[in-house]
Amino acid sequence: MQEFRPAVGIDVGGTKTHLRAVTGTETVADHVRTSRGWRPHDPAAAIEWLAALVEEVLPTQVAPAAVAVGAHACETPRQCEEIRLALEARLQVPCLVVGDAELLVPAAGLDKGAALVAGTGSVAVGRRADGTPVQVGGWGAVLGDEGGAAGLVREAARAVWAAHDRGEDPDPLARLLIASFAVPEVPALGAALESATDMSAEWGRHAPVVFEAAEQGSVLAHRVIDDGGRALASLVERLAARGVAVDDVVVAGGTILSRPALYSAFAVALTHTLPLARPQPLQVPPVEGAVAFARSLLRPDGP
């Protein structure tokens, strides 16, 4: 019977995947693994990857009642719907597929609001009153991701290059970037950045030195962090301009939640432009949002 079959929520992140299956108040399964092999732009491969995960993790002879997935790099409603339809046909249960950032608002126990993620990259999502999803940002390390780890490193390098062009001596930000990238001088940073094969990940891992430089008194680093906070606030502003309710803004991502200077810069900038918006760090795993979505699929009125 359906009441004894679990609602399954899956958070497929860029690095790790978290599956949680619940029946009533009982957790049937709670499993974390890497996201290796996740290919959301290949629907057939994505379906088999998700179905294999569900079948492997759930106890023997236990089938799901509903499955909701928050999927990294599922960037458009069309892409998510294509995966949803195929997954539903494969598992023969109600399914929902959304971008992974959409898990934040339900994970926080909210019916509406905006979600901001600043980890390696940055993105903000929400829904209009009619349910239309809206996503802003998330354009990758080369073109965007301001306020995320990779974007901060990119902007730090730009700030250091500009100071070099002005004839200024290397400050703590320049010295720490040079050491972190293992290059001999500021001009060599360009080749180091351009040689990355996975720019988001490889640039992003150098982000701690930006905050370290700020702690050492680097004016350039402070400016980069403040600009990053303002850029993150501007993502929320764009959501508001497109009709998304932003009274509540759920914030997640390792970069912003682990760096009080960046969170503070974001919160201050948001207060200046959207004084009624209430930012709040996500206190639970995002998979809780996927579980909430899965439970909603079992209600007569749907999600």
Side-chain angles (χ1 to χ4, degrees), residues 214-234:
E215 292 170 359
Q216 292 183 18
S218 168
V219 173
L220 294 179
H222 279 290
R223 190 175 303 151
V224 168
I225 294 167
D226 288 344
D227 288 348
R230 282 190 289 269
L232 293 173
S234 75

Side-chain angles (χ1 to χ4, degrees), residues 4 13 22 87 109 126 136 142 161 203 223 230-231 239 246 251 256 258 264 274 294 297 300 303:
F4 295 108
V22 300
L87 184 63
V136 297
V142 175
W161 289 328
W203 293 3
R223 190 175 303 151
R230 282 190 289 269
L239 288 180
V246 297
V251 183
I256 191 168
S258 67
S264 177
L274 294 170
L297 293 172

Side-chain angles (χ1 to χ4, degrees), residues 276-291:
L276 297 181
R278 299 181 294 267
Q280 54 180 287
L282 184 65
Q283 304 288 351
V284 299
V287 74
E288 287 288 341
V291 171

